[in-house]
Amino acid sequence: MHGRVKVKSTAQQEEEKRKEREKKLKIYVAARDACFSKRKEGICDDEALQITQQLLSSNPDFATLWNYRREILMHLETVRDEDEVQKIYQAELSFLESCLKVNPKSYGSWHHRGWVSTRLPRPDWARELGLCDRCLSLDDRNFHCWDYRRMVVKMSGVPVDQELAFTDRLIGSNFSNYSSWHYRSTLLPLLHPESPEPHSPCREPRRASSPPSPQTHSHRVCEEQLLKEYELVQNAFFTDPNDQSAWFYYRWLLGRAEREEMISCVYVSRDEERVAVAFSRPVNAQSVGLLLVLDGQPQRVEWRSVHPRFKHSPVWICDLPPGTISDVTNEHNLTVHWTEKHTHRDCALYTGDAHESWCRDSATDQELFRSELSVEKTSVLQSELQSCNQLQELEPLNKWCLLTIILLMRALDPLGYEKETLAHFQTLKEVDSMRSAYYSDLCSKFMIENTILKMEYAEVRVFSISDKNVTTLCHLDQLLLVTHINLSSNQLQRLPPQFAMLQCLEVLEADNNSIENLEGVFHLPKLEEVHLKNNKISTLADLQPLASCPKLKRLDLRGNPVTQTANIESELTELLPSVTDLQL
Amino acid sequence: MRSGLAESVVAAAFSRVGQRVLHLDRRSYYAANWASFTFNALLTWIQEHHEESQPEEVQDWSSLLEEGEELIYLLNRDSASITNLQVFCYADRCHGFHPIIQASQTEGEEPTTAAGQSQSEPTRKKISFAHLVKEGRRFNIDLVSKLMYSRGSLVDLLIKSNVSRYAEFKNVTRILTYRGGKVEQVPCSRADVFASRQLSVVEKRKLMRFLTSCVEETEEQRAYNGRPYLEFLCDQQLGDNLQHFLLHSIAMVTEDTPTEEGLASTRHFLRSLGRYGNTPFLFPVYGLGEIPQCFCRMCAVFGGIYCLRHSVSCLLLDKDTNRCKAVIDSRGQRISCSHFVVEDGFIGADWKREATPTRFLSRAVLITDRSILPSDSDQQVSMVTVPPIAAGCPAVKMVELCPSTMTCMPGTYLVHLTCQSAGSAYHDLSPVVTRMFRTPESHDQESSPTLLWCLYFNMADGSGLEGEGHDLPNNVYLCSGPDAGLGHEHAVRQAQAIFQKILPDEEFCPPAPNPEDIVYDGENNSSSTPGDGETLEGEKEKEETLEGEVEKEEKVEGEVEKEEKMEGEVEKEE
């Protein structure tokens, strides 16, 4: 149409752009080669500084050039006086600023800025802090900037309270910000440390013999501040219960007690002349300095984990030199020292026909399974549970809320809330079906914990958890002393290597599962009966581990695919000569 | 004719697609009733309106008639759209009555000694009228008070057409409401809800849930169609707090507004939220008067001609075709045209199909000494909703601007109040003003901002104008003046409708090309890069001169030059 502004066509623009790019590339390559050759010759002059600047301003991710630049700058430091150096570095900082505008997430630029800032004779930290704030206001999740900011804060000694106010500001403008919440979690213990006297004596380990290790509660925050934080984070998850950052911070606030490191159990068996030791966490007994003293005599023993797969394990066993405890008329005193942690545990094998002896803390004593959430006071947990229940009423299908309620209930009273917990798990699996397997596993874990607690209260060595939809096994180190385990009618697919920690096991009932792997039924010295009716064991090789159990007499394999194999009976007799009662 | 928002958008749209545009305004300023004035210019404007009561004589141009033509005289009474002007100045009388002359010597030096002022508060400097006049250039006082919805049609248009490059914008930083005698912040964004101290956590959840749920239309909502929005809100069990916020501040509707309308307006608010900040609104730096001027500039850049203090006195109608062939300007020049767009105020009532009698808006402009709700930052731009303070009173929309919006001098705030007229502006708005600000008439309001100066007036409400059905030549199109709505939807819609009626196959305001992509006559396509650089600079210069022109026209010296140009243009047209 007449009088209309004519505009270049797209093809024309493309062509122009292509030419432009070609030209740029030529210049770039030439400059790069010039740079490399200069570096090779070890030239550290202003020209080199200039060329690298040109290159880096178009491509700030060229690490070699940054290195070269640092070489030049360090050289200049030696030949120029302080004022000049200051000027050079200041120019460097403003150059870096322009690089960061090109790419605010350039590793090279941020690293170089950190380097320059520490070399600067008279650094202006306030300016750096301002730069970080500007950057974070543009993108509050730029972790490069967060890192650099932490360095600036450290170097310039910004007061902690000021930093906390900074996180307040960021969270206020958008609370979906893991960096800010996390930063808060590192600042709070510094600014409002927990008062030195333990505020919840009932939660302290009952054994007074060993003082709590220094890191046990060092990350805790004083109660007054904690209550404020609960309020803050509740505001966040009531505002948007689907935002996970607040929930994660909440879980941190509720606390995660670290278990005291110790030897939790020593077991000695006279018949097998064997000692089994359980630790509070998986260790490598061969390297932690374990010392076994029998009747005042240090013994040279060979520690081995319960399964060759484990380099680290909570349970370790060793054979005593033959004959050392066979004398039934003498009492034998055994001490295992964990020299690295300055802790030990004694165990006495009394006279008479006692075949075995042990010394341990029961799981209930240690509040073992509550440590996941909270070293917090019951009253606080109770009121937090109330708020969460309130939210759950409004948002009955919110998975974060449900999960937090479950955790709070477990921290408060795992057995008392068992029914509600199971119901909530059911809802969780429905509303978040993508993670239903995770919830099943978590639920299994909690059910196992509850069963262990019940077993401890009953003071028996029988562990029975049948028909509870258990999908996975855990806490098997707690079952070191169990002689009879009933896992029937669950959804187990395997007896994992950890199962070998059941060193006292005599009877294994695992009918009506989906077990196809018996890896963990390995070197169990007392195992006599194995019930595996209606499982999914399909080959003879799957039964191989059973051959390592010397006392196995009864084996029930009815309803397994393996029973369809030709010559199965004779093959089995050959594989398991000790078995006298085989059901196929 | 006339450079209100709709007219300016139309002008830019036509100019952009290659049409020749001549844009006239009889005033010496752009933007008509959408204009912004410095304090001094506003005083002049007030003065003019007081003097302009006598009707101007109508010149007879019938001698210019040609065969088969008929004259339609335009009215010269655009000033009729403004009535009931009343000015009050308290600047020198707040704490004792200083005559103005004396105040000019003290120049805001004396600290106040008002009783009840807390110790910690920094002593308030008194600002005198003379001070306001002296710093008058720092004010940009809008005649209309509107905000731009971040996802409203004006923002979309500014972005789409690249007109946005001519202006800067600021976020409205908070939404406030007047409730139970107190000004409160309305939590509307996620961050606000999180930070709010007035709401319990349960209320927070309910509010967030309501806001997320009402984005989608549901069966439950449809069941309330035709019933009041308030009823719908009540049934959501939100509680009084939330109900107030949702009805008055977010939907900004009245208690009897139907649910579907309330929800639509709530959705409009929510859609705009979070695009540029924590509120749905933007405000142009230097005032709303910038917006029509930006479109005028776009028009000029693409060859439109501007003439201020120049108007059309009559239209020449071709009786056979019922089309306006040409217009005669105030100096008796005949200018031919193919389409004529004019503000409806110029067209006699006998030509128009007036659907409803002209409604009016009540406006008040206040200059105060501090914010209505002081906070950490003194640079807040606040939208304040004031529900009817008594039964039968109108709901008032209030916008408080801080100095960083470049609409008022440092140390002051500019407050705009708007409502549908029931009586005069003073009658409608002064009760709210005396209640919320400290004036000599108000009592016990030591903590309220002091009112320094205020202006009341009524302005015709442009929302009553019908687009179709007027008894006009079929190439004459009407634009209305500012409407009562908070956004600019009405004017943009009007402009777009006019454009599409005239050029149904053309794009409305396509993006303006980048200067480097423009091809000039004589430039061959395979030009080398240095050539490009030259044209780039050339273009810049060109644009500058064009922009310079627009600015120049505001000056008196530009007058002669402009007239010459104008004549040249007329010749070309013929």
Side-chain angles (χ1 to χ4, degrees), chain B residues 86 422-431 456:
Chain B
Q86 273 174 289
S424 75
Y426 181 78
H427 173 267
D428 289 340
L429 295 172
S430 63
Y456 294 97

Side-chain angles (χ1 to χ4, degrees), chain A residues 290-552:
Chain A
L290 217 52
L291 180 68
L292 189 138
V293 179
L294 180 63
D295 301 326
Q297 295 294 319
Q299 303 288 323
R300 278 185 64 91
V301 290
E302 198 73 40
W303 291 103
R304 59 175 193 275
S305 72
V306 292
H307 195 282
R309 282 254 217 116
F310 301 129
K311 288 253 169 2
H312 285 77
S313 161
V315 176
W316 288 80
I317 44 186
C318 71
D319 293 319
L320 292 168
T324 41
I325 52 170
S326 51
D327 181 3
V328 290
T329 54
N330 267 332
E331 186 182 312
H332 295 286
N333 284 303
L334 193 86
T335 308
V336 179
H337 292 270
W338 186 359
T339 46
E340 205 176 58
K341 300 285 170 196
H342 306 285
T343 176
H344 66 273
R345 187 172 286 276
D346 303 317
C347 178
L349 188 58
Y350 299 105
T351 54
D353 51 1
H355 296 287
E356 57 188 3
S357 173
W358 60 85
C359 169
R360 65 185 290 245
D361 289 328
S362 85
T364 48
D365 280 349
Q366 296 173 37
E367 303 272 5
L368 199 55
F369 306 129
R370 297 196 198 181
S371 62
E372 278 281 303
L373 254 205
S374 198
V375 284
E376 209 46 72
K377 271 186 187 162
T378 312
S379 61
V380 172
L381 290 176
Q382 200 79 53
S383 83
E384 292 309 305
L385 179 60
Q386 254 166 31
S387 325
C388 285
N389 279 333
Q390 205 174 24
L391 178 59
Q392 202 246 333
E393 254 169 58
L394 295 165
E395 298 289 322
L397 302 181
N398 184 280
K399 60 173 181 171
W400 296 103
C401 185
L402 283 167
L403 189 59
T404 309
I405 288 177
I406 290 175
L407 295 176
L408 280 165
M409 285 178 166
R410 291 211 57 78
L412 278 162
D413 183 359
L415 293 175
Y417 284 117
E418 186 173 298
K419 231 173 114 185
E420 281 106 316
T421 308
L422 285 172
H424 285 329
F425 265 120
Q426 198 49 47
T427 324
L428 267 177
K429 281 185 224 173
E430 281 157 23
V431 299
D432 189 16
S433 57
M434 297 280 282
R435 278 163 211 82
S436 65
Y438 166 75
Y439 296 123
S440 295
D441 285 0
L442 194 62
C443 184
S444 303
K445 179 174 168 235
F446 291 158
M447 293 318 293
I448 289 170
E449 287 173 0
N450 284 3
T451 312
I452 291 174
L453 289 175
K454 286 179 202 160
M455 175 181 78
E456 300 280 353
Y457 289 129
E459 293 184 27
V460 293
R461 293 173 73 182
V462 176
F463 181 86
S464 176
I465 187 164
S466 63
D467 209 5
K468 289 278 199 291
N469 294 317
V470 176
T471 53
T472 183
L473 292 174
C474 58
H475 292 305
L476 291 167
D477 55 312
Q478 298 293 319
L479 306 182
L480 176 61
L481 302 174
V482 163
T483 58
H484 191 134
I485 190 165
N486 182 1
L487 303 169
S488 307
S489 305
N490 284 302
Q491 292 158 28
L492 293 170
Q493 291 179 330
R494 56 203 297 253
L495 297 174
Q498 287 85 349
F499 197 79
M501 292 191 275
L502 278 72
Q503 285 289 311
C504 303
L505 193 64
E506 291 163 14
V507 179
L508 163 61
E509 289 181 70
D511 294 342
N512 305 317
N513 279 283
S514 308
I515 297 171
E516 47 194 33
N517 180 311
L518 299 172
E519 224 183 330
V521 192
F522 179 78
H523 283 287
L524 297 178
K526 297 171 193 267
L527 188 64
E528 290 177 14
E529 279 182 42
V530 174
H531 300 271
L532 285 168
K533 215 160 58 182
N534 300 329
N535 277 291
K536 294 194 174 155
I537 296 161
S538 50
T539 68
L540 199 64
D542 295 331
L543 294 164
Q544 185 68 40
L546 296 180
S548 65
C549 302
K551 292 196 176 163
L552 187 62

Side-chain angles (χ1 to χ4, degrees), chain A residues 1-8 12-13 16 20 23 171-176 181 231-241 243 390-391 394-396, chain B residues 16-20 190-197 199-202 204-206 208-209 278 302 503 506 513 516-521 523 525 529 532:
Chain A
M1 190 187 283
H2 181 72
R4 184 179 291 238
V5 174
K6 290 191 200 113
V7 176
K8 287 173 190 164
Q12 278 171 317
Q13 284 176 23
E16 269 173 35
E20 188 77 2
K23 218 171 70 191
I171 290 169
S173 69
N174 179 9
F175 60 81
S176 305
W181 289 116
E231 200 190 316
L232 181 75
V233 75
Q234 271 176 20
N235 275 327
F237 64 63
F238 268 86
T239 304
D240 185 355
D243 184 87
Q390 205 174 24
L391 178 59
L394 295 165
E395 298 289 322
Chain B
R16 174 67 187 86
V17 295
Q19 303 285 323
R20 306 198 71 87
R190 191 166 168 268
D192 286 350
V193 173
F194 169 65
S196 169
R197 294 191 181 281
L199 300 181
S200 72
V201 285
V202 173
K204 287 182 181 195
R205 185 78 292 269
K206 282 182 174 168
M208 284 301 287
R209 203 158 58 155
N278 269 341
F302 284 90
L503 293 175
E506 286 286 341
E516 64 265 28
D517 291 337
I518 295 175
V519 180
Y520 296 98
D521 289 342
E523 183 196 356
N525 289 342
T529 319
D532 268 357

